[in-house]
Amino acid sequence: MPENNPLNERLRALPSVDQMLCLPALASALEQAPRDQVVGAVREALAAARARVLAGEEAAPAADALADEARALLVRFMRPSLRRVVNATGVIIHTNLGRSCLAEPAVRAVEEAARRYSTLEYDTDAMARGSRHSHCEKLLCALTGAEAAIAVNNNAAAVMLVLSEFAAGHEAVVSRGELVEIGGSFRIPDIMALSGAVMVGVGTTNKTHPADYERAISPDTAMLLKVHTSNYRVVGFTETVEASQMRGIADAAVEARRAVDPAAPGIIVYEDLGSGALIRPPALGSQAEPTAGEALAQGCDLVSFSGDKLLGGPQAGIVIGRRALIARLKANPMVRALRLDKMTLAALEATLRLYLEPERALAEIPTLALLSEPAETVRERAERLAGMLAEVAGDAGAVSVVDEASCVGGGTLPLLDIPSSAAALSFRAEDGAQRCEEHLIRRAAVPVVGRIRQGQLLFDARTLADDELPLVAEAVAEALGARGAARGGEVAR
Ligand SMILES: *Cc1c(COP(=O)(O)O)cnc(C)c1O
């Protein structure tokens, strides 16, 4: 290679790690973060610069610019990855933002379980080893009328567990109108295949009749599966078969089987209920989802649902139903891999306890409280936020309050619009909303997630807490340059 290859020269112009560490931006970082992390960030910035030079970039970047880059990488590495955000989207059960927030008693229970030793698998009455499955079972039975219950990692796990225990190697009949996909990777046909169950689809996308199930039942049918169409609705000419009808169909088929062979196996009716409400929030009126107890009372042997959707608790999957069947689930080796940890169990138990007094549940469980808050209260909050925003925005943006429709989210009640209000920020510059949004999400100390509509940045007040309004206003002030956001930011330890 010739001595004066400009590429070589440009590469050689890049500073060394040691030279970089002497620059003021990084010298001060060394006081705030472990040396290895600072050096790592410098190496990463240098490697990126080298790659850019090799890719044809004209000049090697200046050392100061590289130091800023390294510092930004360091700040990003040192701050917690899983951290709080302000949800100004109006979507109450926002899967990307952590679904349900826990009620205070649940938060306290998590804290205690995390900090101290606990009765996780210890029975103080028996003074002997206990079961982690015992903590929520009685409560779940009391709240749903079930004989028995078990909670596992999430509802996807619950579905998997039920299918593998009762339908692996056998046929499970499900309506083609209920072959849901939830959140991209959970699809009923795939889960059935994974569990070893043989899926028998019946009916069509819009109509399934009782006779479809009757015809589909074979000597090998182990289950009639009903899946709640959580995140979509088929409207128009539709017909679905209720769980109560499925119960009758299953019973008749088993009776016919046993007339021939008294030892013939039964057929389980199982509903994957999805959201799993335990009460009907009055605010939802006739639009409320059927509760888990109601689904069971329709004649299902088993019903499963999520812990962090309408129930408003931690991520969990709950199966309720007949004692003998739940006992088989508890004995399934897969349960060991799907079990809940003590913090989740603590949160779930404390959340369920609130439901013993439905009024308390409605008031104290954030998901239910947010759903139920009157539109006028939400509007007042939006107006207060608009006032704060107008103060910080000055000439940079115009502020108004607009009527909005919140949605429940989390694949729940897709057709339900909950009247809401948002503070709306309009900008003079065409890309003002985008630039402001980018700052609020990427740079704000607590990211604020709103939404852009027709060039306006909207902050839906239904999912905002009163004490979050100043956070939103501060972040907007920074974004608009009113306070000159600190370049590079602080390194949090
Ligand atoms: C949400 C949902 C699931 C998955 O539940 P997770 O708790 O998210 O695992 C399964 N089935 C239905 C019908 C759902 O709505």
Side-chain angles (χ1 to χ4, degrees):
M1 244 181 240
E3 265 301 292
N4 61 347
N5 180 331
L7 177 66
N8 267 349
E9 258 168 46
R10 271 180 284 151
L11 285 175
R12 240 179 286 126
L14 288 169
S16 71
V17 171
D18 286 335
Q19 284 167 336
M20 293 268 292
L21 292 175
C22 294
L23 296 170
L26 294 174
S28 66
L30 279 172
E31 285 162 22
Q32 295 168 321
R35 185 181 171 86
D36 281 356
Q37 269 57 57
V38 182
V39 170
V42 168
R43 292 220 167 97
E44 197 178 330
L46 281 171
R50 201 170 295 121
R52 288 199 302 268
V53 169
L54 286 172
E57 191 168 284
E58 278 307 305
D64 280 332
L66 275 175
D68 280 348
E69 248 175 72
R71 202 187 155 88
L73 287 169
L74 182 69
V75 167
R76 225 173 298 151
F77 179 79
M78 292 302 285
R79 83 179 171 210
S81 172
L82 179 57
R83 57 210 166 102
R84 175 183 176 186
V85 302
V86 171
N87 176 7
T89 63
V91 180
I92 295 168
I93 306 174
H94 198 305
T95 296
N96 299 151
L97 304 183
R99 287 199 181 159
S100 287
C101 301
L102 295 180
E104 274 309 315
V107 172
R108 288 198 298 273
V110 170
E111 214 178 295
E112 185 147 308
R115 188 174 290 125
R116 303 294 190 172
Y117 292 112
S118 63
T119 55
L120 180 63
E121 290 186 357
Y122 189 73
D123 182 338
T124 53
D125 288 335
M127 297 197 294
R129 182 182 178 150
S131 162
R132 72 175 65 215
H133 299 306
S134 66
H135 303 296
C136 296
E137 184 166 18
K138 276 220 177 80
L139 281 167
L140 284 165
C141 293
L143 294 168
T144 62
E147 290 175 6
I150 183 174
V152 291
N153 183 61
N154 58 6
N155 189 32
V159 176
M160 183 72 193
L161 178 66
V162 170
L163 289 173
S164 353
E165 177 62 39
F166 299 110
H170 301 287
E171 290 174 2
V173 183
V174 60
S175 162
R176 293 195 178 92
E178 297 173 356
L179 298 179
V180 305
E181 171 179 310
I182 310 276
S185 56
F186 179 87
R187 308 173 111 190
I188 290 292
D190 297 348
I191 291 282
M192 291 190 89
L194 201 60
S195 71
V198 179
M199 187 177 92
V200 178
V202 295
T204 61
T205 305
N206 58 326
K207 285 196 176 195
T208 302
H209 307 281
D212 292 325
Y213 288 93
E214 285 160 1
R215 274 198 299 271
I217 292 178
S218 81
D220 195 35
T221 302
M223 180 182 287
L224 302 188
L225 167 64
K226 186 166 182 62
V227 186
H228 190 61
T229 59
S230 304
N231 55 4
Y232 69 99
R233 293 288 182 272
V234 178
V235 296
F237 288 96
T238 65
E239 196 167 321
T240 54
V241 179
E242 296 304 318
S244 55
Q245 295 170 284
M246 289 165 69
R247 169 84 277 153
I249 294 165
D251 287 347
V254 170
E255 203 180 307
R257 264 183 201 178
R258 290 191 176 152
V260 181
D261 169 11
I267 296 175
I268 286 172
V269 179
Y270 161 47
E271 178 161 9
D272 168 15
L273 195 56
S275 286
L278 291 180
I279 54 178
R280 290 175 175 253
L284 296 186
S286 63
Q287 304 233 46
E289 296 269 328
T291 66
E294 286 164 2
L296 200 62
Q298 289 243 316
C300 292
D301 296 301
L302 295 170
V303 171
S304 74
F305 50 96
S306 290
D308 55 356
K309 292 184 182 170
L310 278 177
L311 197 148
Q315 179 191 302
I318 295 160
V319 191
I320 56 173
R322 282 172 40 206
R323 188 171 290 111
L325 303 181
I326 298 288
R328 278 181 59 184
L329 292 179
K330 284 179 183 168
N332 187 310
M334 207 189 269
V335 163
R336 178 64 175 75
L338 303 177
R339 72 184 188 184
L340 290 177
D341 85 303
K342 60 189 177 186
M343 288 178 282
T344 308
L345 278 168
L348 184 59
E349 183 187 351
T351 306
L352 292 172
R353 273 190 197 288
L354 291 171
Y355 278 99
L356 295 174
E357 296 164 78
E359 295 308 316
R360 263 195 93 184
L362 284 168
E364 293 187 38
I365 294 174
T367 297
L368 297 181
L370 291 178
L371 269 176
S372 308
E373 190 167 51
E376 309 85 70
T377 318
V378 176
R379 177 146 191 116
E380 278 167 29
R381 187 178 305 119
E383 280 164 1
R384 251 178 299 141
L385 176 60
M388 292 178 180
L389 292 178
E391 218 163 276
V392 299
D395 303 335
V399 182
S400 59
V401 173
V402 296
D403 290 333
E404 271 300 298
S406 296
C407 55
V408 179
T412 298
L413 294 161
L415 298 187
L416 180 68
D417 280 342
I418 306 172
S420 187
S421 300
L425 199 50
S426 321
F427 300 82
R428 236 178 262 140
E430 202 179 322
D431 62 347
Q434 273 84 7
R435 277 191 295 141
C436 186
E437 183 185 46
E438 189 183 323
H439 187 104
L440 294 180
I441 293 173
R442 292 221 174 117
R443 301 195 190 280
V446 180
V448 176
V449 187
R451 119 178 79 100
I452 292 180
R453 203 184 53 205
Q454 294 169 343
Q456 287 189 316
L457 192 46
L458 301 184
F459 304 100
D460 194 310
R462 183 165 290 279
T463 47
L464 286 171
D466 286 329
D467 64 2
E468 288 177 324
L469 305 186
L471 276 177
V472 177
E474 253 164 61
V476 168
E478 273 187 15
L480 299 179
R483 304 229 174 114
R487 205 159 130 254
E490 282 305 298
V491 181
R493 287 193 93 154

